[in-house]
Amino acid sequence: MRRNEELGHSASGGAISNLSVMRGETRLHEPMARHVSWRAGGSAERVYIPADINDLAEYLRGLPAGLPVVFAGLGSNLLVRDGGVHGVVVLLHGALKRIALESRLKGANWENEAAEGHGVVYAEAGVAAPKLARYAASHDLVGAEFMAGIPGTVGGALAMNAGCYGSETWDVAAQVLTLDRQGHVTERSAADYTLGYRHVALNSGAEEWFVGAWFRLARGDGALSRQRIRELLNRRIASQPLNLPNAGSVFRNPPGDFAARLIESCGLKGMRIGAAQVSEKHANFIVNLGGATAANIEDLIDEVEYLVSRRTGARLLREVRIIGTRL
């Protein structure tokens, strides 16, 4: 890390006013291939790894108004184009990592909640979703087992209502903690959002990022919960190409159908552009065979979309997020 006095201006010309008091880590021109699960793509102009939520709030307050900000966790549904990313990428994994049992939900009538046999786990946005599943099970709380199959962080799971095996993140997320560009921290409930399949939108339309959440879970048999987690992980290992860099499911499942079935029905398993390949194990995965560029991956996504639409009439919607500039 360079000294703070060397980092005081953004490429857009605005001064970042509070670097001298920041407790987190700033990196310039950071290769994002290190931070996305596809292991491909360009560099971020600036990366910030916060010390905690208060540090992140202070950092955001000091940014120039027009400087773009992107939040990233494990990078498991993210592609950074080869030309890189202008602005700031905030890395949460390994930074916002607190996880703990809570005595009650904020503002809730906990006497009634407890009588119904529930408990609460609080997890910050940088906690890996599988860790949340294991932590809950170790405290005899059940219902979060499916999160062991989500290859991302709590923040990412909240932002896209990630799910698998018939359950979704907001099925168990009772309350969330958010942060806006001005550094304001707000507690919200599901009622503040429009929720859907791989879709979460704040009703007010304001720009906020998830930094933590309270998960309301039933009390149950922790041993059975841990067994269920092992079973789900075994299913994932058996059905997904986890031996190669990938970003999980590339496309959302259309209503009443599966993206993988549509792609496979078009004979696209194994299709390649450069070192990017439609997985031969699971058609809704694109894998990096070694040395794939972000352009290879994006071009393959585009081609799969086009061919499925032309041959079946179905429109595939992307689950992955693509940011940055093409070379």
Side-chain angles (χ1 to χ4, degrees), residues 81-279:
R81 291 184 172 118
D82 299 306
V85 185
H86 168 57
V88 176
V89 176
V90 177
L91 297 179
L92 298 184
H93 180 58
L96 302 189
K97 57 186 179 181
R98 180 174 176 262
I99 185 167
L101 293 177
E102 294 280 311
S103 61
R104 60 176 294 153
L105 290 170
K106 298 286 184 177
N109 183 344
W110 185 243
E111 290 75 18
N112 290 341
E113 291 283 331
E116 293 174 6
H118 290 85
V120 176
V121 174
Y122 172 75
E124 289 184 338
V127 173
K131 182 175 181 178
L132 171 61
R134 294 192 299 269
Y135 183 89
S138 71
H139 291 86
D140 295 320
L141 295 174
V142 303
E145 294 84 2
F146 73 95
M147 297 197 80
I150 297 174
T153 57
V154 165
L158 290 166
M160 65 178 295
N161 197 16
C164 55
Y165 310 122
S167 298
E168 295 178 325
T169 301
W170 283 84
D171 293 341
V172 291
Q175 293 173 319
V176 295
L177 197 66
T178 67
L179 189 61
D180 67 14
R181 185 65 180 256
Q182 291 70 46
H184 299 139
V185 177
T186 304
E187 293 171 7
R188 296 194 180 278
S189 70
D192 294 314
Y193 297 89
T194 299
L195 304 171
Y197 173 65
R198 305 297 178 265
H199 173 78
V200 178
L202 185 60
N203 293 332
S204 69
E207 183 181 38
E208 296 180 355
W209 297 280
F210 297 108
V211 291
W214 289 266
F215 295 88
R216 179 182 180 272
L217 301 166
R219 300 194 186 279
D221 189 324
L224 286 178
S225 181
R226 290 189 291 274
Q227 179 181 335
R228 175 63 173 158
I229 289 171
R230 288 192 294 270
E231 291 170 353
L232 293 178
L233 290 177
N234 287 337
R235 283 177 59 184
R236 183 167 175 251
I237 291 167
S239 64
Q240 299 177 9
L242 302 184
N243 60 318
L244 292 169
N246 68 82
S249 296
V250 175
F251 301 102
R252 303 176 189 179
N253 288 323
D257 208 339
F258 295 95
R261 189 201 68 78
L262 289 166
I263 296 166
E264 187 169 356
S265 74
C266 294
L268 303 182
K269 268 189 170 182
M271 180 183 178
R272 289 179 58 171
I273 293 181
Q277 181 188 53
V278 177
S279 169

Side-chain angles (χ1 to χ4, degrees), residues 32-56:
M32 285 300 294
R34 299 174 180 171
H35 304 289
V36 299
S37 59
W38 256 317
R39 299 293 181 258
S43 296
E45 183 177 82
R46 181 183 302 271
V47 156
Y48 191 67
I49 305 171
D52 53 34
I53 291 174
N54 289 335
D55 176 67
L56 178 55

